[in-house]
Amino acid sequence: MSDYEVVYIFHPALEDERIEEKIERFHGMLTGERGGEITAVDHWGKRPLAYEIADQTTGHYTVAHFSAPAEALPEFERLLKLDDEVLRYLVVVNEGDLQTTPVPPAPKRDEESEDDGEDE
């Protein structure tokens, strides 16, 4: 069994309850008889997309970490591909720590250093 991370980008019109239902159904493919385990789920909320997907400029991001046998992944990914309300997904082997919260944006630099040069 290996550790994986999956990032889901759901259609922005979906309600939170509907997203939870979908995640439970997807994760059900990994757990139960297949013996996988969901170790973390983090909802990042609505965020802008890097580029337009299916006429959408935002999506609801969710990141989950799980351990599962490799044999469970093809059916899991097939289920994700068939769902029209999943705009994109990405499953990768998790080799790092299990933080799911996105890195906060770097604080903006104070513009004082540029202002000092203009006074002369």
Side-chain angles (χ1 to χ4, degrees):
M1 219 179 294
S2 298
D3 293 330
Y4 299 95
E5 177 179 289
V6 59
V7 177
Y8 307 100
I9 304 176
F10 293 100
H11 193 282
L14 285 178
E15 301 281 331
D16 289 344
E17 294 110 17
R18 184 77 178 127
I19 291 172
E20 282 295 328
E21 290 173 12
K22 287 183 174 289
I23 289 173
E24 282 184 32
R25 187 166 55 106
F26 297 151
H27 291 173
M29 293 295 302
L30 301 169
T31 59
E33 292 178 8
R34 292 193 163 86
E37 180 184 5
I38 308 302
T39 55
V41 177
D42 195 4
H43 298 278
W44 291 3
K46 279 188 186 175
R47 295 176 162 259
L49 300 173
Y51 54 88
E52 193 172 295
I53 301 171
D55 296 328
Q56 301 301 315
T57 57
T58 62
H60 185 97
Y61 284 70
T62 299
V63 178
H65 291 147
F66 62 94
S67 57
E71 300 81 33
L73 292 181
E75 182 64 18
F76 174 66
E77 291 191 77
R78 187 183 76 80
L79 190 64
L80 293 173
K81 286 178 187 172
L82 292 175
D83 194 319
D84 291 336
E85 294 173 322
V86 175
L87 297 178
R88 289 288 188 274
Y89 72 92
L90 179 66
V91 179
V92 295
V93 174
N94 189 351
E95 296 176 339
D97 58 18
L98 294 177
Q99 292 183 349
T100 60
T101 303
V103 176
K108 292 188 177 187
R109 292 185 0 195
D110 192 14
E111 300 296 326
E112 289 180 19
S113 59
E114 292 180 19
D115 293 337
D116 290 341
E118 294 177 2
D119 292 334
E120 294 178 19

